Amino acid sequence: MTDSLLIHRPDDWHLHLRDGAMLRAVLPETARHFGRAIIMPNLVPPVVTSADAGAYRDRILAALPEGAEFDPLMTLYLTEGTDPADVAAAHASGLVKAVKLYPAGATTNSDSGVRDIDKVRPVLEVMAEIGLPLCTHGEVTDPEIDIFDREAVFIDRVMDPLRRAVPELRVVMEHITTSDAVEYVSSASAGLAATITTHHLVINRNHLLVGGIRPHYYCLPVAKRETHRLALRRAATSGDPRFFLGTDSAPHPDHAKETGCGCAGCFTATNTMSILAHVFEEDGALERLEGFTSLNGPNFYRLPVNPGTLHLEKQAEPMSYPAKIACDDGDVTVFDPGFPLHWRVI
Ligand code: DOR
Ligand code: ZN
């Protein structure tokens, strides 16, 4: 039985760090295990211009614990007013590694997002030309569409037409939650990839709703039925290089989640690597964990693999980790996978 695993230092290809006190509270949780992360731009106000991204990167670096080695990979929040020349300059300088598409109203702080995709076509064409990937929050916002169908409908109504219109554009479908998305990515030609979160490999919609509503399992896209979770597990553990880890670790203070209208987001930065080792071992794919967390992402983003390593060890006793991360804005509850964790990062 394998009880020790040495892998290249992983990266998180989709992460929310926020700002101020929350940034200071959660950044060490990611920097402890991960070499780099794609930093989501949905601050208030959002990170729209290269100047915004540069200033935010400086604030992240200033908040890093002494001695930490962590490289924040910055993104720009796409708006209908985004200037293609600014995007090109941000890419050319090496500052920005992706642009994020939020359909307006789809999720937390997405009000400045895109209402009419045709309005951002000039930006997308420039991105295709320079090879800058587009990261997508793949849910339609049409109130007629059931929330559990919003990802599948997005593929038909937005993603597929977009990829046909700008075929050279490199696209990451983020935090996919359905077998529809797995099939769409699996059958695509080059230039399309998907991130999968830790929590969507573990929970389905029953975990969210059966026996009482569990606000810390509420995120967007919302967890779907069990068949979809199993499709995500097969994709993540398959070794297919188009699937890689993007935790979507999204901290909210408990008071903003445990309330009448709670925010979306699961906070998984603290225990993600232990949960993933458990999941991959359970599926007989421990040797493919490194591809998912450390190799496939850099390959898609055309970046070198991290030089460092991460060592995981399986121990008889379940490991302990904090239930909450303290923050001046209010404590943040760490995702509870619902099973004991025996794999520990050492
Ligand atoms: O659950 C989510 N939380 N999904 C998102 O798309 C945004 C994120 C957040 O920023 O809290
Ligand atoms: Zn996110």
Side-chain angles (χ1 to χ4, degrees), residues 67 101 105 267:
L101 166 69
F267 180 74

Side-chain angles (χ1 to χ4, degrees), residues 204-216:
N204 62 32
R205 63 194 196 179
N206 277 17
H207 294 89
L208 177 65
L209 296 169
V210 171
I213 188 159
R214 301 196 195 252
H216 297 290

Side-chain angles (χ1 to χ4, degrees), residues 121-150:
R121 178 75 69 83
V123 182
L124 301 179
E125 280 166 358
V126 165
M127 290 168 60
E129 210 176 292
I130 63 182
L132 181 61
L134 178 75
C135 295
T136 61
H137 183 107
E139 289 190 287
V140 291
T141 54
D142 182 345
E144 303 273 296
I145 304 296
D146 188 279
I147 191 163
F148 291 99
D149 297 331
R150 287 181 175 192

Side-chain angles (χ1 to χ4, degrees), residues 57-80:
R57 183 167 197 274
D58 290 345
R59 297 199 296 281
I60 296 169
L61 294 177
L64 271 175
E66 192 74 26
E69 280 184 37
F70 176 75
D71 187 8
L73 307 177
M74 307 311 291
T75 63
L76 298 178
Y77 185 119
L78 184 60
T79 73
E80 291 179 6

Side-chain angles (χ1 to χ4, degrees), residues 28 32 67 71 84 89 117 196 254:
R32 192 175 298 134
D71 187 8
I117 195 90
I196 302 178
D254 284 350

Side-chain angles (χ1 to χ4, degrees), residues 36-304:
R36 298 167 291 198
I38 283 276
I39 310 299
M40 285 299 118
N42 61 335
L43 304 182
V44 188
V47 179
V48 173
T49 65
S50 54
D52 297 339
Y56 186 30
R57 183 167 197 274
D58 290 345
R59 297 199 296 281
I60 296 169
L61 294 177
L64 271 175
E66 192 74 26
E69 280 184 37
F70 176 75
D71 187 8
L73 307 177
M74 307 311 291
T75 63
L76 298 178
Y77 185 119
L78 184 60
T79 73
E80 291 179 6
T82 293
D83 173 9
D86 184 55
V87 171
H91 170 69
S93 72
L95 171 66
V96 157
K97 298 291 187 271
V99 172
K100 176 69 188 256
L101 166 69
Y102 287 106
T107 187
T108 312
N109 304 332
S110 62
D111 293 348
S112 320
V114 174
R115 287 185 166 75
D116 178 359
I117 195 90
D118 289 336
K119 294 225 172 89
V120 297
R121 178 75 69 83
V123 182
L124 301 179
E125 280 166 358
V126 165
M127 290 168 60
E129 210 176 292
I130 63 182
L132 181 61
L134 178 75
C135 295
T136 61
H137 183 107
E139 289 190 287
V140 291
T141 54
D142 182 345
E144 303 273 296
I145 304 296
D146 188 279
I147 191 163
F148 291 99
D149 297 331
R150 287 181 175 192
E151 181 172 289
V153 174
F154 181 88
I155 295 170
D156 291 342
R157 283 196 193 168
V158 183
M159 181 58 74
D160 200 53
L162 172 67
R163 292 187 55 248
R164 286 174 199 277
V166 193
E168 300 302 316
L169 184 64
R170 311 181 69 245
V171 177
V172 184
M173 292 174 67
E174 304 225 79
H175 43 51
I176 59 168
T177 57
T178 57
S179 58
D180 311 69
V182 169
E183 279 158 28
Y184 186 71
V185 173
S186 302
S187 61
S189 50
L192 184 65
T195 57
I196 302 178
T197 74
T198 307
H199 50 281
H200 287 117
L201 294 173
V202 173
I203 59 166
N204 62 32
R205 63 194 196 179
N206 277 17
H207 294 89
L208 177 65
L209 296 169
V210 171
I213 188 159
R214 301 196 195 252
H216 297 290
Y217 289 159
Y218 174 61
C219 63
L220 288 172
V222 70
K224 308 296 191 296
R225 60 170 69 239
E226 179 67 357
T227 47
H228 294 292
R229 186 185 74 92
L230 294 176
L232 298 175
R233 290 273 286 237
R234 282 193 298 273
T237 59
S238 67
D240 184 328
R242 292 172 291 191
F243 298 101
F244 43 88
L245 175 65
T247 65
D248 199 12
S249 183
H252 294 277
D254 284 350
H255 63 76
K257 288 192 67 74
E258 299 169 4
T259 178
C261 181
C263 294
C266 297
F267 180 74
T268 54
T270 305
N271 52 7
T272 273
M273 290 309 300
S274 297
I275 298 172
L276 290 175
H278 177 106
V279 161
F280 275 67
E281 183 182 44
E282 198 167 74
D283 288 2
L286 208 45
E287 76 284 359
R288 301 205 185 117
L289 178 65
E290 183 180 42
F292 184 68
T293 62
S294 315
L295 308 178
N296 301 348
N299 180 45
F300 183 85
Y301 276 92
R302 299 174 174 161
L303 291 169

